[in-house]
Amino acid sequence: MASVEADVIADRDDSADLAALERSWREPPGLWGWLITVDHKRIGKRYIATALVFFLLAGLEALAMRVQLARPENGFLGPDRYDQFFTMHGTTMMFLFAVPVMLAWGIYLVPQMVGTRDVAFPRLNAYGYWVYLIGASFIYVQFLLNTGTDVGWFAYVPLAGPEFSPGKRVDTWAQMVTFTEIAALIAAIEIVVTVFKQRAPGMSLNRLPLYVWSMVVVAFMVIFAMPAVAVASTFLLAMDRLVGTHFFNPAEGGDPLLWQHMFWFFGHPEVYIIFIPGLGFVSSIVTTFTRRPVFGYVAMVLSLIATGFIAFGLWVHHMFATPIPQLGQSFFTAASMMIAIPSGVQIFCWIATLWLGKPRFQTPLLYALGFIVIFVIGGLTGVMIASVPFDLQVHDTFFIVAHFHYVLIGGAVFPLLGAITYWFPKVTGRLTSERLGKIGFWLVFTGVNVTFFPMHFLGLMGMTRRVYTYLPGQGWGGLNLLSTIGAFVIAAGVIVFLYNLAASWRFGAPAGDDPWGADTLEWAIPSPPPPYNHARIPIVQGRAALWSMTPDRPVVVGLNETRREVLVTTVMDAEPDNRQESPGPTPVPFFAALATGFLLILLVFTFQALWIGAIPLGLALFAWAWPRHPDRAWRLDAEAGR
């Protein structure tokens, strides 16, 4: 049992303890320090920046596709290059941007929000980032060599099988999935353990911020959903292509529908993995900018959990055009419609909060409101295509493209842009420009509707997806040109948004600790946060942690400041349970990730990699497990006679 106790912050002289904390959590400067860091904030920022780079690349690919489709029989992209572009656009958005960036915000924010000093496994966290970067770079090197994957981000068999896709394009895609799934599973485990075992005392589960609840639900969804696609791509598809098995080859007794079942068992929950963190962002923003807690906390939490459960019962609605039994179609139609209920509950709770509060219409709240409008439109078309007869009419048309872009841009991109604006002062210590922020919002909001709303009509007119051109007499040119104009308006909005961030980072007004008057614990610490987050672990006294804090601000004492120690608490009520030392900077995760990348990439080309790559990976893991020497903090502790 830990020897920790409550104290009041006003009665303490913290200068000596703060100096010891600074020494214990300090990290080496320069490139070496950048490579060996295990600080969750530095790794979270790194994840976010990398994912945003891939977001820009996916945006450029989308612009190229829109230019190609702007007029009939356009020759801007040939058929092979167009196939590569739409495959890389979908793969980048789903595997390299949306899921990583949402988990990255969790890595950055959750420890600060729950009042701890680091994530549960800092070295594993660093390893996950490097694995993600190596896998993402691998597939983009192939794409830049004009040999990118060209079978869609879903890689349906038999098109993705060895008979119709010889060469290494699909093998690279399958291995990229392995890299990103490893990284996602690591991030999910970090979040689950950090939330359940490192919360500040007093933060019982019924006081958890709604954003943290959203990340807990998403982390469990990742743990249950990701293995399906990892097994399907790494083992079954790769073995069909490289070993000669026939899991998906009907001529030898295999079943192509097995791939679709396994892929969509992951693929549909992934949609919710992407947008449930967006729900958490919106709850935080609505709370702060209405100055009142979100209406219906319990209903909101139950809705998040219900969404997570029901999301696993929808995957077959992607397969209504395949020969599945009508009874199965009925079940998945019902589930597809039922999931609108928890989403609707949350929207009504936000509307009630706005109605009862005094909203300040600053840029983050505009993005939250934009999310509600765009997401509701996407949700309504989602209910329409849950009906089998209607789905069969619009299956694989631009109506579906319009639907899922409304859902994903509304459900993920709008909340994300709002979240970046909202937490930018915490990350950098500076405020963004409100004027540029609102210009960027209206450009993105207008562009999204001009781009994707006409696609509903294109789909109803019969324009199918994944075609690189069309004939002049089909009457699709006008609406396609309008969509292309809208795509450039979105691009203009993104440019304004990024310029605002860059200019504010350098010239923005100082933000202070809590410029918005928010209620969660990350706003109780300086901006940007120090390496140890909270100098004193706070004792939470209510659901709105800062708004309910008494003037004496009780804190936890008893942790050793001369080494990296975190407080371990109980699962349900967050009562102090133990103290645990957190590891410091080390190059081992970086080298372990390099060894993992070497093994997995080499496996695409030869099975000799199993023993060639196993040697450096084994050495890296041996170094990882090697008992650590007393670190500098321990030596400082000894020198101080403690």
Side-chain angles (χ1 to χ4, degrees):
M1 180 67 69
S3 58
V4 295
E5 54 188 308
D7 198 356
V8 290
I9 199 167
D11 297 335
R12 295 186 58 82
D13 177 9
D14 286 337
S15 56
D17 292 341
L18 283 176
L21 268 178
E22 292 281 356
R23 287 195 300 271
S24 304
W25 291 83
R26 185 184 303 150
E27 300 207 329
L31 177 62
W32 182 244
W34 189 80
L35 288 174
I36 68 174
T37 183
V38 294
D39 182 347
H40 76 94
K41 296 179 293 299
R42 297 182 74 181
I43 293 168
K45 287 190 290 185
R46 196 173 295 174
Y47 251 125
I48 294 168
T50 308
L52 289 179
V53 168
F54 285 112
F55 173 66
L56 295 179
L57 292 174
L60 292 174
E61 290 151 8
L63 280 179
M65 289 189 290
R66 285 314 320 165
V67 170
Q68 169 62 24
L69 295 175
R71 63 187 179 88
E73 297 188 309
N74 197 357
F76 181 70
L77 293 176
D80 177 65
R81 184 61 68 89
Y82 186 86
D83 288 351
Q84 292 185 50
F85 270 60
F86 84 71
T87 299
M88 288 304 296
H89 172 72
T91 298
T92 304
M93 290 298 287
M94 301 302 283
F95 288 104
L96 307 182
F97 163 65
V99 173
V101 80
M102 292 304 183
L103 293 173
W105 273 105
I107 291 293
Y108 181 85
L109 286 174
V110 165
Q112 298 175 61
M113 275 191 175
V114 302
T116 186
R117 288 176 174 163
D118 208 340
V119 291
F121 310 110
R123 293 190 296 179
L124 191 64
N125 192 34
Y127 170 79
Y129 168 75
W130 292 117
V131 167
Y132 157 67
L133 181 64
I134 293 169
S137 304
F138 177 43
I139 196 169
Y140 259 89
V141 167
Q142 184 196 45
F143 176 60
L144 295 175
L145 295 174
N146 196 25
T147 55
T149 313
D150 56 353
V151 294
W153 80 277
F154 35 79
Y156 277 172
V157 291
L159 176 61
E163 301 88 356
F164 298 98
S165 294
K168 294 298 178 186
R169 293 185 175 193
V170 177
D171 300 314
T172 303
W173 178 89
Q175 206 66 304
M176 180 279 305
V177 171
T178 307
F179 279 104
T180 55
E181 303 315 288
I182 291 173
L185 286 167
I186 288 173
I189 291 168
E190 298 282 355
I191 290 168
V192 168
V193 179
T194 302
V195 171
F196 283 114
K197 291 303 294 178
Q198 290 186 199
R199 302 194 307 279
M203 187 179 282
S204 50
L205 288 182
N206 61 346
R207 290 177 174 177
L208 214 55
L210 287 171
Y211 172 73
V212 178
W213 267 117
S214 74
M215 292 310 302
V216 169
V217 171
V218 161
F220 277 110
M221 292 181 72
V222 167
I223 291 170
F224 285 106
M226 295 293 181
V229 72
V231 168
S233 63
T234 306
F235 294 100
L236 304 188
L237 180 60
M239 289 178 70
D240 269 18
R241 293 182 55 82
L242 302 175
V243 181
T245 58
H246 299 284
F247 289 105
F248 305 123
N249 181 2
E252 299 292 340
D255 185 358
L257 286 187
L258 173 62
W259 169 263
Q260 292 196 34
H261 279 292
M262 296 188 73
F263 183 84
W264 289 116
F265 183 80
F266 140 83
H268 198 82
E270 191 190 26
V271 173
Y272 296 89
I273 288 169
I274 290 169
F275 97 80
I276 286 178
L279 307 180
F281 289 149
V282 171
S283 291
S284 295
I285 291 170
V286 168
T287 298
T288 297
F289 288 93
T290 58
R291 293 291 297 167
R292 75 179 311 282
V294 169
F295 178 85
Y297 175 87
V298 175
M300 292 288 287
V301 173
L302 293 177
S303 296
L304 286 170
I305 297 172
T307 303
F309 270 110
I310 300 172
F312 282 91
L314 310 184
W315 82 91
V316 172
H317 80 207
H318 293 271
M319 302 165 59
F320 280 160
T322 63
I324 57 174
Q326 285 190 333
L327 181 63
Q329 292 179 350
S330 303
F331 171 80
F332 287 99
T333 291
S336 302
M337 293 183 175
M338 188 166 64
I339 202 164
I341 296 173
S343 302
V345 168
Q346 293 177 82
I347 288 172
F348 280 114
C349 286
W350 290 320
I351 292 173
T353 309
L354 290 164
W355 184 265
L356 296 171
K358 296 179 179 178
R360 293 175 289 162
F361 292 97
Q362 292 181 264
T363 305
L365 185 59
L366 290 182
Y367 277 108
L369 298 177
F371 149 78
I372 293 175
V373 173
I374 301 292
F375 184 71
V376 166
I377 295 174
L380 289 174
T381 54
V383 172
M384 292 168 67
I385 59 177
S387 169
V388 175
F390 186 82
D391 181 84
L392 291 176
Q393 296 300 314
V394 298
H395 189 80
D396 269 347
T397 69
F398 264 73
F399 190 94
I400 303 298
V401 178
H403 159 69
F404 69 69
H405 278 89
Y406 264 95
V407 170
L408 289 175
I409 292 180
V413 176
F414 271 80
L416 178 64
L417 298 183
I420 292 173
T421 311
Y422 178 61
W423 277 291
F424 185 85
K426 178 54 57 186
V427 176
T428 67
R430 295 187 180 275
L431 293 167
T432 55
S433 162
E434 266 298 296
R435 186 172 64 88
L436 288 176
K438 289 178 178 174
I439 292 173
F441 164 76
W442 284 112
L443 283 171
V444 173
F445 184 81
T446 304
V448 166
N449 285 289
V450 174
T451 303
F452 296 108
F453 202 79
M455 291 185 185
H456 292 106
F457 300 103
L458 284 170
L460 293 174
M461 293 164 67
M463 183 172 180
T464 56
R465 304 164 61 182
R466 308 173 199 126
V467 292
Y468 86 104
T469 191
Y470 49 91
L471 297 174
Q474 291 177 292
W476 300 339
L479 290 175
N480 269 303
L481 179 61
L482 183 60
S483 286
T484 302
I485 293 171
F488 279 93
V489 175
I490 296 174
V494 172
I495 290 171
V496 171
F497 181 86
L498 294 176
Y499 173 78
N500 188 15
L501 295 187
S504 301
W505 197 310
R506 185 169 178 81
F507 304 110
D513 296 352
D514 187 6
W516 310 119
D519 66 323
T520 40
L521 283 179
E522 78 275 20
W523 300 103
I525 57 180
S527 305
Y532 44 83
N533 292 346
H534 297 269
R536 296 287 177 193
I537 305 300
I539 295 178
V540 177
Q541 298 168 292
R543 191 171 287 162
L546 294 189
W547 294 349
S548 58
M549 194 169 283
T550 54
D552 58 357
R553 302 180 66 186
V555 297
V556 173
V557 296
L559 290 177
N560 192 332
E561 285 81 12
T562 61
R563 55 177 180 261
R564 294 176 175 235
E565 244 182 25
V566 296
L567 180 66
V568 179
T569 52
T570 57
V571 173
M572 295 296 292
D573 297 323
E575 295 174 349
D577 189 30
N578 211 329
R579 299 179 299 178
Q580 180 169 319
E581 187 182 356
S582 187
T586 169
V588 171
F590 174 67
F591 288 114
L594 284 181
T596 305
F598 177 71
L599 170 63
L600 293 180
I601 292 173
L602 203 60
L603 266 176
V604 173
F605 303 97
T606 174
F607 281 102
Q608 300 299 322
L610 283 175
W611 66 269
I612 298 173
I615 295 173
L617 181 58
L619 291 173
L621 295 178
F622 185 74
W624 193 313
W626 189 258
R628 287 172 291 153
H629 292 291
D631 59 20
R632 186 176 59 177
W634 278 99
R635 292 198 298 274
L636 289 171
D637 193 17
E639 290 167 8
R642 302 186 186 190

